Amino acid sequence: MNFFRGVISGQAAGPQPSGAETIQKLCDRVASSTLLEDRRDAVRALKSLSKKYRMEVGTQAMDHLINILQTDRSDSEILGYALDTLYNVICNDEEEEQDENAQKQADDLGLQFTDTFVQDPEHVTLLLTLLEEFDFHVRWPGVKLLTALLKNQGPQIQGIILVSPMGVSRLMDLLADSREVIRNDGLLLLQQLTKSNAAIQKIVAFENAFERLLDIITEEGSSDGGIVVEDCLLLLLNLLKNNSSNQNFFKEGSYIQRMKPWFEVGDDNSGWSAQKVTNLHLMLQLVRVMVSPVNSPGATASCQKSMFQCGLLQQLCTILMATGVPADILTETINTVSEVIRGSQVNQDYFASVNAPSNPPRPAIVVLLMSMVNERQPFVLRCAVLYCFQCFLYKNQKGQGEIVATLLPSTIDANSISAGQLLCGGLFSADSLSNWCAAVALAHALQDNLTQKEQLLRVQLATSLGKPPVSLLQQCTNILSQGSKVQTRVGLLMLLCTWISNCPIAVTHFLHNQENVPFLTAQISENLGEDERLVQGLCALLLGICIYYNDNSLENYTKEKLKQLIEKRIGKENFVEKLCFITKHELYSRAAQKPQPVFPSPEQMLFDHEFTKLVKELEGVITKAVHKSSEEEKKEEEVKKTLEQHDNIVTQYKELIREQDAQLQELKEQVACMTSQNEQLQATITQQQSQILQHKDQYNILKLKLAKENQGQSNSQGDGSQVNGLQTEELTQLREEVEELRKQHSLLQTQLGDKDALISSLKSGAAQTAEGPAGGSDDTELLQELEALRSQVQSQSTEIGQLKMERQDLLRRAEVGCSDTLPSSDSSLDAAKMAELESRLGAQTSEMERLKAEVKNLSESRAELEKRLDSTTSTVAILQTEKEKLQTDVQESKKEQDDLLMLLADQDQKITNLKKRLKELGETVEDEDDLDTRDQTDDDDEEDEDED
């Protein structure tokens, strides 16, 4: 123990041992001591020496320290000492007093010890297990050690944690630790863990990381928070950047809505702390990650929609127009708003309606353009405004029209500054950067918009007093010919190329000036320096566009004459070489990477992203057009015209066939519908027939029962003639029989009503069937079934007549019975009883008369039913006639289709012969499948533009 105290306190009794010797003795003590206290003191001594003697401790003690972690799990103090020692050995702490070489050696040493530690993956798994310990002295150094390992060997440690059971989940538990030190260091650990590993990023996201991180940001004060908020934002950026799955999960979880409170700023924005600026900058980057142009269009559009609906875009525009906002935050806000509105019509329309809080209010677009053309503004701010203007016009033909309209004579307002006036002012100012930015911005107002290219030709400029106005196109070429700075000329050439491309009218206006073509040929043919070669390439591109989109309306500058001019003055090979220099320029490839204009210095601001797409599209076709001879062009045009004519004919036939196919399909659907309706009607008739049979059986049973009751009553009447006391009982029974007959009559009336409803449904079904064709056999069966039903109804009527006769017979018998019994009862019945009996008998007689009337009504109903059956039979005949007519029409349509197919075969043969002639002449001919594919692609593009 005295030895350990001497090592720790630095006191020495006798000769002082070297550091290596001391560490060797301590390692031996750790390995050989049986007492936990001795091992703990030895590890504590190694910890105190680990920073000064990093090499010796790492080389000699690492295995012993790992063994301590494995064997002494019950003692948290010795575990903490061991973890701290390993951290001191592995961690590469940057110290200011160290020079560059010393720092590099320290980094190499930490990497070496990290490799030694992770040679056995179980060591990392053991460290993950120790992180489950809640003891502060174990958990905190364990978090720091794992963070250091990830910094030195990130991919290897990530792979081990990824395959470890519940490895990521254990680390996510650190965010829920109530001790802020462990939670904050856990954030740093997760930052290192999620770097460049999409699999771990997804696991962390699905471990509810977004919810926890946003809660921490809110608890810490959002943008006003400290370094913890910054760490949370950095971790969120790691999880979302270039990870479409996590981005979708973030959007679907409604976490975009929780970002809105971050950007609430007050009226007084002065005195922002450096930490608040950093936090807000990271928050803006987080918004940009969700709507970045590199994301899939569908995901970007969905996030843009959510940001507008939750008010996030409105909040960003508030910051944009606020006063006192730091310049770098304002710049990043402009870039963020740019990507939130890029390609979203709703967001672009909202941005166009935003006004700056000035007197009088001015549109935000005008205020931003004023900053862009102001040479005193910071360069990065001017680039951000240009990017915002480009995003506002991206796929926004409505916005393009509004910008161009501010330049037209009929819409110019002398009392206010418009966007068009600012662009013209910047286009012709003395600042070359303003010239370039204004030219590129105006080019975006014409991008893929033929209407606005033609409208811009109407713009007239007043150059000086006493001179007539000149067109904007002519003024651009005048400045170009004056030999201004390279940046200005490059911007003007990009504007002219975008303007006249795919616009023959603009090409004609450009060629109408007699000085333009000689100027371009002179520029291309000269041997100039390296800086001027880019201008020569753009001049060659402009001249090539004049050839490719020339409609030969000017006699002096037809396609053929321009190509002859190139061949005489420049040379075709030299022309193509100058044209190809554009794509070989290093700044061209940099601008082609992403839409945002990011340049290290104003001098390198030469190419625009959209213009690089135009060059890529036109370079090949212009080269091909220059090398073609006039005869080849004539032949190609003739063949194209012939093919177009044939294509038009084929297209017409195809459309006709499609229409007939649609008609046939519609008729088939009608036939199928009528067939199904007929089947339903047949099923209904079958069901009704079964119900009629059931009612008939019930009626027969009732009839037999009534006959038995009548027979019993006649027997009882024979006996009653002898006994006067039975007369009352017979009258009661007679009344019951009459009541039973009334019930049976009501039942029969109900059955007849059901049959009447059945006939009505059959009649309506037949009327529906008349609207389409039906099969002849089905109509015959339906007619037979209707005749059978008619015969059943007649049978029922006969049975009703028999029932009526039986009722009359029963009444007659009742009257005879009463007349027989009256004389014999004179001595036993008094006058009152006789009167009562007579009244009852009168009531029975009236009831029987009423029943007779009802039977008469039933007979009339039967006659009406027969009339309805006759009407149904005539309807079926009409349906059969219409079906035969439709079948005849179908046969005629099939015959017409066969004739059309024969015509198509003849046209295909003619096209094949023409293609063979073209191939014999050496021309490349596209197959019909390629043409169909191209037509389909053009149709899809048109549909996309319509949707936009």
Side-chain angles (χ1 to χ4, degrees):
M1 295 298 294
N2 291 331
F3 170 75
F4 297 125
R5 295 191 184 95
V7 170
I8 296 173
S9 62
Q11 299 176 356
Q16 185 73 16
S18 64
E21 293 175 350
T22 303
I23 292 169
Q24 181 62 45
K25 291 179 181 179
L26 291 174
C27 291
D28 294 340
R29 180 66 64 180
V30 171
S32 60
S33 295
T34 57
L35 294 177
L36 177 61
E37 184 178 356
D38 292 343
R39 294 196 302 274
R40 186 189 304 123
D41 291 338
V43 175
R44 183 166 57 244
L46 287 172
K47 173 188 172 184
S48 63
L49 297 173
S50 57
K51 289 187 177 180
K52 185 176 181 180
Y53 300 101
R54 184 182 179 189
M55 169 68 79
E56 291 78 4
V57 173
T59 305
Q60 301 180 31
M62 181 170 288
D63 292 338
H64 300 293
L65 294 173
I66 294 174
N67 188 54
I68 289 294
L69 298 179
Q70 294 173 340
T71 56
D72 292 331
R73 295 281 300 276
S74 60
D75 186 72
S76 59
E77 189 174 358
I78 193 173
L79 289 177
Y81 292 148
L83 291 171
D84 282 332
T85 305
L86 289 171
Y87 173 74
N88 292 335
V89 169
I90 291 174
C91 181
N92 296 319
D93 289 332
E94 297 182 0
E95 299 181 5
E96 296 181 358
E97 62 272 9
Q98 289 184 347
D99 57 10
E100 185 177 352
N101 293 331
Q103 184 62 43
K104 184 178 180 180
Q105 291 177 0
D107 293 343
D108 294 340
L109 195 60
L111 184 60
Q112 175 185 346
F113 290 140
T114 301
D115 292 337
T116 303
F117 184 85
V118 299
Q119 281 181 355
D120 187 358
E122 291 297 327
H123 296 164
V124 180
T125 305
L126 173 64
L127 185 57
L128 292 173
T129 306
L130 292 176
L131 290 179
E132 294 181 350
E133 297 288 339
F134 188 75
D135 192 285
F136 180 82
H137 296 91
V138 177
R139 202 172 209 187
W140 187 39
V143 171
K144 295 193 295 182
L145 175 58
L146 186 56
T147 305
L149 292 172
L150 284 166
K151 287 181 179 179
N152 295 334
Q153 282 289 2
Q156 189 174 358
I157 303 298
Q158 287 172 339
I160 297 173
I161 295 176
L162 193 59
V163 299
S164 176
M166 302 296 292
V168 178
S169 299
R170 294 171 183 173
L171 301 180
M172 285 298 299
D173 292 338
L174 299 174
L175 297 181
D177 200 304
S178 58
R179 295 160 293 191
E180 291 189 1
V181 175
I182 295 178
R183 184 199 67 184
N184 298 342
D185 283 347
L187 288 172
L188 300 176
L189 170 60
L190 290 172
Q191 284 181 26
Q192 297 296 326
L193 179 65
T194 55
K195 280 185 178 180
S196 304
N197 193 308
I200 292 181
Q201 291 169 0
K202 292 178 182 179
I203 296 175
V204 171
F206 283 95
E207 286 286 345
N208 205 23
F210 293 140
E211 185 75 27
R212 297 184 185 183
L213 293 173
L214 293 175
D215 288 341
I216 294 174
I217 291 173
T218 303
E219 293 170 3
E220 295 292 328
S222 297
S223 60
D224 294 323
I227 189 68
V228 177
V229 174
E230 179 182 350
D231 292 335
C232 290
L233 293 171
L234 289 172
L235 180 54
L236 284 172
L237 284 173
N238 282 353
L239 295 176
L240 293 174
K241 195 170 185 179
N242 299 324
N243 193 318
S244 58
S245 176
N246 283 1
Q247 290 173 6
N248 185 63
F249 182 66
F250 190 85
K251 179 185 70 67
E252 295 296 336
S254 300
Y255 296 119
I256 291 179
Q257 289 79 346
R258 296 187 60 178
M259 297 167 67
K260 179 189 174 184
W262 296 353
F263 304 102
E264 295 178 354
V265 295
D267 297 332
D268 185 11
N269 296 311
S270 60
W272 284 19
S273 64
Q275 186 61 56
K276 181 174 182 178
V277 172
T278 302
N279 291 344
L280 202 55
H281 196 274
L282 291 173
M283 290 172 178
L284 291 170
Q285 286 186 359
L286 196 60
V287 176
R288 293 185 64 184
V289 165
M290 298 298 297
V291 292
S292 174
V294 301
N295 297 343
S296 64
T300 300
S302 179
C303 291
Q304 288 172 335
K305 182 179 179 181
S306 298
M307 290 178 182
F308 175 76
Q309 291 176 345
C310 73
L312 179 58
L313 174 59
Q314 294 85 330
Q315 202 68 46
L316 293 173
C317 291
T318 302
I319 298 177
L320 199 65
M321 297 291 106
T323 57
V325 179
D328 52 348
I329 293 299
L330 180 59
T331 302
E332 190 63 22
T333 303
I334 294 173
N335 289 326
T336 305
V337 171
S338 304
E339 295 183 350
V340 173
I341 68 174
R342 187 176 188 268
S344 174
Q345 187 65 54
V346 176
N347 294 3
Q348 290 167 341
D349 291 343
Y350 170 77
F351 183 70
S353 66
V354 175
N355 289 322
S358 59
N359 191 15
R362 291 176 177 171
I365 298 174
V366 173
V367 176
L368 292 176
L369 288 178
M370 292 172 67
S371 301
M372 185 186 73
V373 298
N374 188 351
E375 56 184 315
R376 290 176 294 180
Q377 294 292 339
F379 173 64
V380 292
L381 178 62
R382 300 175 73 181
C383 291
V385 173
L386 176 61
Y387 183 46
C388 183
F389 191 74
Q390 291 173 349
C391 292
F392 169 68
L393 296 178
Y394 182 72
K395 293 184 178 180
N396 184 9
Q397 293 192 356
K398 178 182 177 183
Q400 289 175 328
E402 292 173 352
I403 297 298
V404 174
T406 59
L407 288 167
L408 299 178
S410 58
T411 58
I412 293 178
D413 185 3
N415 298 324
S416 63
I417 300 176
S418 65
Q421 294 173 356
L422 291 171
L423 291 177
C424 282
L427 194 62
F428 307 127
S429 69
D431 180 27
S432 61
L433 184 58
S434 296
N435 301 152
W436 190 92
C437 291
V440 170
L442 197 54
H444 276 261
L446 306 175
Q447 194 76 37
D448 299 328
N449 196 327
L450 180 61
T451 302
Q452 303 311 322
K453 291 178 182 180
E454 296 176 356
Q455 288 292 322
L456 200 62
L457 295 173
R458 299 169 49 201
V459 177
Q460 299 291 322
L461 302 176
T463 56
S464 60
L465 293 176
K467 292 185 178 180
V470 297
S471 66
L472 177 61
L473 181 66
Q474 183 60 44
Q475 185 65 15
C476 291
T477 57
N478 292 341
I479 296 175
L480 193 62
S481 62
Q482 292 173 2
S484 53
K485 293 182 181 180
V486 173
Q487 190 175 40
T488 300
R489 285 182 288 165
V490 169
L492 290 172
L493 286 169
M494 287 195 298
L495 171 59
L496 291 173
C497 290
T498 305
W499 191 346
I500 70 173
S501 65
N502 199 24
C503 184
I505 298 177
V507 172
T508 303
H509 278 73
F510 180 79
L511 294 176
H512 193 269
N513 188 350
Q514 303 294 328
E515 299 176 356
N516 289 341
V517 174
F519 168 74
L520 293 178
T521 55
Q523 287 287 317
I524 300 170
S525 60
E526 291 181 1
N527 293 322
L528 303 176
E530 185 70 23
D531 295 338
E532 296 292 334
R533 293 183 63 185
L534 177 59
V535 177
Q536 288 182 314
L538 293 173
C539 289
L541 178 65
L542 183 59
L543 186 56
I545 292 173
C546 292
I547 295 174
Y548 187 71
Y549 292 106
N550 196 334
D551 57 359
N552 296 326
S553 59
L554 294 177
E555 184 178 356
N556 294 332
Y557 294 108
T558 61
K559 286 185 178 182
E560 183 60 29
K561 289 185 177 181
L562 288 175
K563 286 192 290 185
Q564 291 175 1
L565 185 63
I566 290 175
E567 189 172 3
K568 292 178 181 179
R569 300 275 183 90
I570 305 170
K572 293 183 178 181
E573 299 300 330
N574 188 26
F575 178 85
V576 173
E577 181 182 356
K578 297 293 178 65
L579 180 63
C580 294
F581 181 76
I582 301 175
T583 56
K584 295 178 181 178
H585 201 281
E586 60 177 352
L587 296 179
Y588 174 88
S589 58
R590 183 182 301 177
Q593 292 176 0
K594 55 183 179 180
Q596 183 181 1
V598 179
F599 302 97
S601 63
E603 293 77 16
Q604 296 184 4
M605 201 170 186
L606 293 178
F607 284 105
D608 173 59
H609 177 75
E610 292 296 328
F611 180 73
T612 59
K613 295 181 180 179
L614 181 65
V615 173
K616 185 178 180 180
E617 176 185 350
L618 294 178
E619 183 181 9
V621 295
I622 290 175
T623 303
K624 187 177 180 181
V626 169
H627 282 92
K628 281 184 179 179
S629 63
S630 59
E631 295 181 357
E632 291 176 347
E633 284 191 353
K634 289 181 180 179
K635 292 180 180 178
E636 184 176 352
E637 289 179 359
E638 291 178 358
V639 172
K640 284 184 178 179
K641 290 181 179 179
T642 305
L643 290 176
E644 287 177 357
Q645 293 176 357
H646 287 290
D647 290 341
N648 292 333
I649 295 173
V650 172
T651 302
Q652 292 176 0
Y653 280 121
K654 285 182 178 179
E655 291 178 355
L656 182 59
I657 291 175
R658 290 192 189 100
E659 292 177 359
Q660 291 184 346
D661 287 340
Q663 293 175 358
L664 287 174
Q665 185 65 28
E666 184 178 358
L667 289 174
K668 289 180 180 179
E669 291 176 356
Q670 291 179 359
V671 170
C673 180
M674 294 299 104
T675 303
S676 63
Q677 290 180 358
N678 188 21
E679 291 176 354
Q680 293 176 359
L681 289 174
Q682 289 180 354
T684 304
I685 291 173
T686 304
Q687 182 180 2
Q688 294 294 335
Q689 286 178 346
S690 63
Q691 292 178 359
I692 290 173
L693 291 176
Q694 292 177 1
H695 291 316
K696 185 176 181 180
D697 294 339
Q698 293 175 1
Y699 173 75
N700 291 331
I701 292 173
L702 291 174
K703 184 178 179 180
L704 293 174
K705 183 178 179 181
L706 181 62
K708 291 181 180 180
E709 290 177 353
N710 291 334
Q711 184 178 1
Q713 289 178 1
S714 61
N715 295 332
S716 63
Q717 286 177 359
D719 296 335
S721 60
Q722 304 295 329
V723 182
N724 294 331
L726 294 179
Q727 183 181 11
T728 303
E729 182 179 354
E730 289 176 353
L731 290 174
T732 302
Q733 187 175 3
L734 180 60
R735 285 196 296 270
E736 290 176 355
E737 291 175 354
V738 172
E739 185 67 22
E740 185 67 20
L741 287 173
R742 187 182 293 109
K743 291 181 181 179
Q744 292 178 5
H745 175 71
S746 300
L747 180 62
L748 290 174
Q749 188 175 6
T750 302
Q751 293 175 359
L752 288 175
D754 293 339
K755 294 174 185 179
D756 185 59
L758 174 62
I759 297 301
S760 300
S761 64
L762 290 174
K763 184 177 181 180
S764 62
Q768 294 177 0
T769 309
E771 297 177 358
S777 60
D778 294 338
D779 294 338
T780 303
E781 293 176 359
L782 179 62
L783 186 60
Q784 293 176 356
E785 290 172 356
L786 290 175
E787 290 295 336
L789 180 61
R790 184 176 179 183
S791 62
Q792 291 177 4
V793 171
Q794 293 176 352
S795 176
Q796 292 290 333
S797 300
T798 304
E799 291 174 356
I800 290 172
Q802 294 177 357
L803 181 60
K804 182 178 178 182
M805 293 175 62
E806 291 174 357
R807 185 185 61 183
Q808 292 176 352
D809 181 64
L810 180 61
L811 182 61
R812 186 174 59 255
R813 290 196 322 221
E815 292 174 353
V816 173
C818 291
S819 61
D820 293 338
T821 54
L822 282 175
S824 61
S825 61
D826 289 338
S827 59
S828 61
L829 293 178
D830 55 7
K833 289 183 180 180
M834 285 299 296
E836 181 181 359
L837 181 60
E838 288 176 356
S839 64
R840 289 180 182 177
L841 189 59
Q844 293 294 334
T845 304
S846 63
E847 180 66 20
M848 294 305 295
E849 292 294 331
R850 188 181 63 81
L851 290 177
K852 290 179 181 180
E854 289 178 356
V855 171
K856 182 179 180 181
N857 292 334
L858 288 177
S859 300
E860 293 176 355
S861 299
R862 183 187 64 185
E864 181 67 21
L865 182 60
E866 290 176 354
K867 292 181 181 179
R868 292 180 183 178
L869 286 174
D870 295 337
S871 177
T872 303
T873 304
S874 62
T875 303
V876 171
I878 293 172
L879 287 175
Q880 186 173 1
T881 304
E882 291 181 354
K883 182 197 71 172
E884 293 174 354
K885 182 178 179 181
L886 287 174
Q887 288 177 348
T888 304
D889 292 339
V890 170
Q891 293 295 329
E892 291 178 356
S893 297
K894 288 182 179 180
K895 185 177 180 181
E896 290 178 0
Q897 186 175 3
D898 293 336
D899 296 338
L900 290 175
L901 291 176
M902 292 293 294
L903 289 174
L904 281 176
D906 295 339
Q907 293 296 330
D908 289 338
Q909 185 62 35
K910 292 180 182 179
I911 291 172
T912 303
N913 296 334
L914 288 173
K915 288 181 178 179
K916 289 181 179 179
R917 289 181 58 192
L918 286 174
K919 291 180 179 179
E920 291 172 359
L921 293 173
E923 291 293 327
T924 302
V925 180
E926 295 180 346
D927 293 334
E928 185 178 357
D929 295 336
D930 297 334
L931 292 174
D932 291 340
T933 304
R934 187 174 62 189
D935 292 340
Q936 184 63 32
T937 306
D938 294 338
D939 293 340
D940 295 340
D941 293 340
E942 292 177 1
E943 291 177 0
D944 294 338
E945 291 177 359
D946 293 338
E947 291 175 359
D948 292 336

